[in-house]
Amino acid sequence: MQGPIIGRRGAIAAGLGAAGAFAAGSPARAFERDGNRKIFVFAGGQPVPVLDPHVRYDWSTRLIQQSVYDALAKYVNDPPQIVPWLAERWESNPAQTVWTFHLVRNAKFHNGDPVDAEAVRYSFERGLRLNKGVAWMLKDVLAPEAIKAVDAHTVQFTLTRAMPSFITYVPLWFIVNPKQVQANVANNDYGEGWLTRNEAGSGPFKVRRFEPQSVIQLDAVADYWKGWPQGDQRRLSGFIYRIVREPAARRAMLQRGEVDMITEVPADDFELLKNARGIKPEDHKGFTTFAITMNTTKGPTADLNVRKAIAHAMDYDALIQIHNGAATLLDSPFPDAIPGHVAVPGIPRRNLEKAREFLAKSAHPNGGFELEYVHVQGLEDPRRIGLALLNSLQPLNIKVNIVAQPWPTMVARGSKAETAPDMVSVYVTPVCTDPDVIAGKYHTRAHGQFWGMHHLTDAQIDGWVDAARVETDEAKRNALYADVQKRVVDLQPEIFGMLANRRWLMRDYLRGFQYCPLRLTGEFDLYPMWVDAA
Amino acid sequence: MALFVLRRLMLTGLMLFGLVLITFVVSNVAPSDPAALAAGPDATRDMVETIRKEYGLDRPLPEQFVHYVGGLLTGDLGRSIVTTRSVMEDLGRYFPATLELVLLSMTFGVLVGVPLGMLSAVLKNRAPDHATRFVAVSLVALPAFWFGILLQLLFSVQLEWLPTSGRLDIATPPPPFVTGMLLVDSVLAGQWATFADALRHAVLPALVLSFPCLASILRVNRAEMIEVMAADYVTAARAHGISRLRVVCVLALRNAMLPTLAIIGLRWGWMLGSTVLVETVFDWPGIGLYAVSSAIAGDFKPVMGVTLLIGVNFMIINLIVDLLYGVLDPRLRATS
């Protein structure tokens, strides 16, 4: 490519112009403009390596996927509710094995193609056949052949067994345009290579710029089939996600007005900025459980009395203090926004007398041993919780060796009972409101996964979890989950910690933020938001 | 000369193979399961196996190594398990940003380090000499990560002179891709506002990256200049009435530049490695940031690709320095 030829005078003038622009400094305003409309600029620390909605999900990826794609239903509000979206209604047979969805008639993809039953069928089939990302949610109960487009606006799923929680997973399966995907298939990859960087959705935004490591820019779809809740006049023109890895840099950008909103804000920074001029906080009770899992198969923590002693020695107030008060202690292994949650009486709180009683009943009545506590390298809160644990266990004469390891190393160690650390800090965010996703943490099936680093094996829990999965009577199901929660507390495979608040800091002209605990950590719903500034 | 070059090239090839072997072994002995991490926390075992098979991670390690080396010979560095793209494609996307940063830093380091070294030598043991030595030691000792954040707070938050991170403001249109280096591409396209914006974004990361290099060049150049200035031929030149400026800037500097050249070669590789920290602080989308993101995700093909790229760069630059040495000093060619 050949650049323009620049004369000597032109070069001098251009140089002066460039110097002027350099000296002008950065723009003071946060939002960008597009005519009369605004572009909302957001900064978070996590890249979005892949756009394909059937291959990967995490908070940043889903933030973009949820904006670009639609699903049959959507999670909104706090407590979370499932509302119709591409499907205007649905029903199931009494056995809850056949689910029928009736689609809205006006939905269309970004290229103008209608969103019909075939697109829904193809999308679910694609997700199942790729066997990645979201596939785990339905693959055991739904065969690709069992999805039928009954007519252009009706799609039917026939499950291999009753699955009362089927609908709770449906909002996480986004619908892609089969025509666009099939036109870009290479080596029978179901268009995976193409959908990694391109989109084929029907959502309120479409992708304009995709630089996975640094910036993702979306344009609002002016004639979005569902309309805009804030009104067409106020809707955004677009959205920019800037990937800024350092919390200090994100904070600086918000202060400087380079971005409108940030997430993953350290507790101290949040306290510092939440009352700053022009900035407002969003601070909500979280849905992510924090626990210190204990290896139940080897070492001192294999002894239930040692685990009980540790759980009763833990300084739970410290967990709250570390989060500057923005956390709630767990009163059950389940977060309270999960259906079927019960507050378990007798869940351990700091009681040194009781702790000593349990230790006295163990094989180590006088302590005198050391336990390894592993947390993810670079995360400050789990490190400080480790220090609290160290202090808490000193009266029992138990030493704690705090070890920071990279996430891959920690997960690899925890996948086997023989190598799993004595104690590990674990955060778990349920992806949907199905209690099975959290009860399953304590099932034998969880061994090998990061939340199963306790390697607990209990036939009663396994039986109850399996029974609850297929129980269609809600009362009976909840009773089974209540049993699971009590039994888990009895067996104490973890120190049940807290739910840390989810927090965002934003400029005070941002409107329409709607919290839904079902979204993953820093994720939020972009669709209802707008900028209320001249 | 041809034999000299041939020997150097053979040695470079051998070192490259060693580098491939080491990076492969180190990546694979790390206790991590990339397939499980890529599959996500909720994935079932058979989903993990699907990914393992797709990326050839189910094969025995020696077979994986042979396959990897075979791929290297055809320019295939494997596929990232996270981005699902070819590592070569990713490197092509990210390396120009790193190269731009390193070239800027190196240019700054040389342009400031060499004159300061000369000044320090000429004014040996006087106040400017002590001051530059103090600054040099401080610059080497400053941790890039900490210093970068400090500069961000000062110049971006307090003074609001420079942007916090990234390569361009969101509203600035990027130039058409030619080299991938925004400064170069914006000049080629005549987009001067883009050039200015790209330069403003590059200032802080380039400074942080350049300081240790600048300090090394300064110290080496000072030491060499002091030695050369004491040589008989310099005294003779002064006695023949050649001006002090000409003696220092031409005669002495030319002879003092050989070790400085070696330092520049060494620092090039060091700088490429240091981009890992600097690019993370400033969110500069180069290979350093790519390597960090990949390592965190347990995605080792990109980490190996970046390591190899840095290694090859380092070797090439040192090969060039060696050859330049040979050109500048015939005695070296003779002994080789």
Side-chain angles (χ1 to χ4, degrees), chain B residues 224-291:
Chain B
E224 284 305 311
M225 283 293 287
I226 288 170
E227 199 179 316
V228 171
M229 295 281 281
D232 291 344
Y233 63 85
V234 171
T235 312
R238 289 287 291 139
H240 279 84
I242 299 173
S243 74
R244 184 176 167 79
L245 188 69
R246 191 172 161 78
V247 167
V248 172
C249 294
V250 179
L251 196 61
L253 179 63
R254 198 167 164 184
N255 286 287
M257 275 306 283
L258 273 177
T260 309
L261 201 63
I263 282 292
I264 291 171
L266 283 171
R267 280 287 161 181
W268 177 267
W270 180 90
M271 267 188 173
L272 279 172
S274 297
T275 56
V276 168
L277 288 176
V278 176
E279 289 182 359
T280 303
V281 173
F282 291 97
D283 281 292
W284 190 267
I287 57 167
L289 197 55
Y290 178 53

Side-chain angles (χ1 to χ4, degrees), chain B:
Chain B
M1 185 67 181
L3 190 66
F4 175 76
V5 173
L6 192 68
R7 277 178 59 127
R8 288 293 178 193
L9 282 175
M10 281 173 63
L11 197 63
T12 302
L14 205 63
M15 285 194 288
L16 202 57
F17 181 77
L19 187 65
V20 171
L21 186 65
I22 289 168
T23 50
F24 186 86
V25 170
V26 168
S27 299
N28 283 284
V29 296
S32 170
D33 186 347
L37 288 164
D42 304 302
T44 57
R45 288 196 179 98
D46 74 294
M47 287 170 71
V48 175
E49 287 312 311
T50 300
I51 292 179
R52 210 187 300 285
K53 201 170 172 187
E54 185 179 334
Y55 286 84
L57 299 169
D58 56 336
R59 298 181 199 162
L61 269 186
E63 193 182 326
Q64 284 186 47
F65 181 69
V66 170
H67 184 76
Y68 184 65
V69 173
L72 285 183
L73 296 175
T74 59
D76 178 9
L77 292 168
R79 199 152 66 102
S80 160
I81 205 166
V82 172
T83 69
T84 73
R85 288 184 294 270
S86 107
V87 172
M88 193 57 114
E89 188 189 335
D90 280 346
L91 289 180
R93 186 187 298 251
Y94 300 127
F95 186 61
T98 299
L99 189 62
E100 182 172 54
L101 192 61
V102 171
L103 282 173
L104 265 181
S105 306
M106 184 59 85
T107 307
F108 180 77
V110 173
L111 289 183
V112 177
V114 171
L116 277 183
M118 288 163 62
L119 186 74
S120 204
V122 172
L123 303 174
K124 185 185 162 192
N125 291 333
R126 288 161 65 181
D129 179 33
H130 295 311
T132 49
R133 272 194 296 167
F134 174 76
V135 171
V137 171
S138 306
L139 292 182
V140 170
L142 285 174
F145 205 79
W146 173 83
F147 193 44
I149 292 174
L150 205 69
L151 290 184
Q152 274 177 336
L153 288 174
L154 178 63
F155 290 105
S156 302
V157 179
Q158 291 297 322
L159 301 172
E160 300 197 1
W161 288 355
L162 294 166
T164 322
S165 61
R167 290 180 82 192
L168 277 182
D169 275 343
I170 290 297
T172 308
F177 185 97
V178 180
T179 63
M181 292 187 274
L182 293 180
L183 291 171
V184 178
D185 290 354
S186 54
V187 169
L188 291 176
Q191 291 180 217
W192 297 103
T194 303
F195 176 83
D197 192 37
L199 193 60
R200 283 176 48 240
H201 280 79
V203 168
L204 290 184
L207 276 181
V208 173
L209 193 61
S210 74
F211 282 153
C213 168
L214 185 156
S216 302
I217 292 174
L218 188 157
R219 285 164 64 87
V220 170
N221 198 251
R222 174 188 177 275
E224 284 305 311
M225 283 293 287
I226 288 170
E227 199 179 316
V228 171
M229 295 281 281
D232 291 344
Y233 63 85
V234 171
T235 312
R238 289 287 291 139
H240 279 84
I242 299 173
S243 74
R244 184 176 167 79
L245 188 69
R246 191 172 161 78
V247 167
V248 172
C249 294
V250 179
L251 196 61
L253 179 63
R254 198 167 164 184
N255 286 287
M257 275 306 283
L258 273 177
T260 309
L261 201 63
I263 282 292
I264 291 171
L266 283 171
R267 280 287 161 181
W268 177 267
W270 180 90
M271 267 188 173
L272 279 172
S274 297
T275 56
V276 168
L277 288 176
V278 176
E279 289 182 359
T280 303
V281 173
F282 291 97
D283 281 292
W284 190 267
I287 57 167
L289 197 55
Y290 178 53
V292 171
S293 310
S294 304
I296 289 170
D299 187 7
F300 291 117
K301 286 277 164 61
V303 179
M304 287 159 65
V306 170
T307 310
L308 274 177
L309 182 64
I310 292 175
V312 168
N313 256 277
F314 188 72
M315 286 173 194
I316 290 172
I317 290 293
N318 278 282
L319 181 67
I320 292 170
V321 169
D322 279 356
L323 296 178
L324 279 178
Y325 255 59
V327 171
L328 292 174
D329 190 345
R331 288 170 302 178
L332 285 174
R333 266 177 287 163
T335 52
S336 297

Side-chain angles (χ1 to χ4, degrees), chain A residues 456-517:
Chain A
L456 179 71
T457 304
D458 184 72
Q460 269 190 314
I461 292 178
D462 287 0
W464 288 331
V465 171
D466 289 340
R469 273 187 143 189
V470 294
E471 179 56 62
T472 54
D473 183 317
E474 196 177 338
K476 285 183 186 168
R477 199 169 186 236
N478 286 345
L480 286 166
Y481 284 127
D483 288 340
V484 170
Q485 290 165 76
K486 286 172 199 155
R487 179 72 178 156
V488 169
V489 171
D490 282 346
L491 294 179
Q492 200 80 58
E494 305 173 335
I495 301 172
F496 306 106
M498 77 287 154
L499 300 165
N501 285 14
R502 301 249 182 96
R503 300 166 131 194
W504 295 262
L505 285 171
M506 62 189 75
R507 288 274 158 186
D508 57 6
Y509 48 69
L510 268 186
R511 301 279 185 273
F513 182 91
Q514 290 179 5
Y515 178 65
C516 175

